[in-house]
Amino acid sequence: MLADVPAKHKFVTADLPAGGDVIMYGVLVGRTSEPLQRGGLLSTRNLRHAAAPFHDRDAAPRWSAPSVSRWREKTFLGYQRSDGLVGTRNYWVVLPLVFCENRNLAVLKQAFEEELGFAAPQIYRRQVAEMVRLYREGKSDELRSVSFTESKAPAPAARVFRNVDGINS
């Protein structure tokens, strides 16, 4: 290395002239603003943004499936689907990178629970909504004597995906 390259920073792997293309993962990301030697630090001081023009693919990618014969008799902890295919358990982990995002994650979790059919019945929400309705309609006598029973609660929403067995926090 020609310079002290801090952790997670980039360095040049080949000599580059001023205006030389900087390619990362096969994509043009910038051009050098000065000549750089192999092992030198790439930074915002010596690199200017550049991008290749967008274009549609010229041809569909070609791919041949590899042989899976050596695994044909192997098993795993999955389940058999009705169409003969198999499935596995998947976990999604959503982590807030800053504390202030915790509330957004709670809202996101609630949305998934409600729309996918895992939410607990919103009994108190319906009771408050009923009392507000009676108040707005001027039915104060009914409001004073309102009685809520479990039987008024609608059935839980049907689950959207039969193979999803829950949402955890």
Side-chain angles (χ1 to χ4, degrees):
M1 303 305 273
L2 295 178
D4 288 331
V5 178
K8 300 185 182 183
H9 283 69
K10 310 297 184 251
F11 58 90
V12 182
T13 59
D15 291 343
L16 291 174
D21 291 348
V22 176
I23 308 291
M24 290 184 184
Y25 308 107
V27 176
L28 174 66
V29 296
R31 291 198 172 84
T32 58
S33 59
E34 59 191 60
L36 297 175
Q37 290 182 323
R38 181 177 181 219
L41 174 68
L42 272 177
S43 73
T44 55
R45 288 187 214 99
N46 59 24
L47 182 67
R48 299 294 170 257
H49 173 76
F54 174 79
H55 66 279
D56 286 332
R57 291 183 180 191
D58 298 330
R62 288 177 290 165
W63 179 78
S64 298
S67 171
V68 294
S69 58
R70 71 182 195 179
W71 294 287
R72 196 114 8 236
E73 301 303 318
K74 300 285 184 183
T75 62
F76 67 100
L77 295 174
Y79 59 90
Q80 189 82 29
R81 293 183 174 155
S82 60
D83 62 4
L85 296 175
V86 293
T88 60
R89 178 177 297 255
N90 295 301
Y91 291 96
W92 291 4
V93 178
V94 182
L95 300 172
L97 298 180
V98 291
F99 179 75
C100 61
E101 289 298 323
N102 287 344
R103 174 71 178 128
N104 291 337
L105 288 184
V107 170
L108 183 62
K109 179 182 182 246
Q110 180 183 357
F112 272 97
E113 288 174 335
E114 290 175 359
E115 296 306 318
L116 296 179
F118 291 99
Q122 299 292 323
I123 296 167
Y124 297 120
R125 179 176 286 180
R126 285 190 299 277
Q127 290 173 353
V128 169
E130 176 65 9
M131 289 188 293
V132 168
R133 183 189 66 78
L134 291 171
Y135 174 80
R136 285 186 173 153
E137 293 175 0
K139 299 179 179 176
S140 54
D141 289 337
E142 274 186 60
L143 185 57
R144 280 191 275 278
S145 62
V146 70
S147 173
F148 297 104
T149 63
E150 292 292 323
S151 62
K152 289 185 178 181
R159 295 204 173 148
V160 177
F161 302 106
R162 67 179 178 83
N163 291 332
V164 175
D165 59 355
I167 298 172
N168 300 309
S169 51

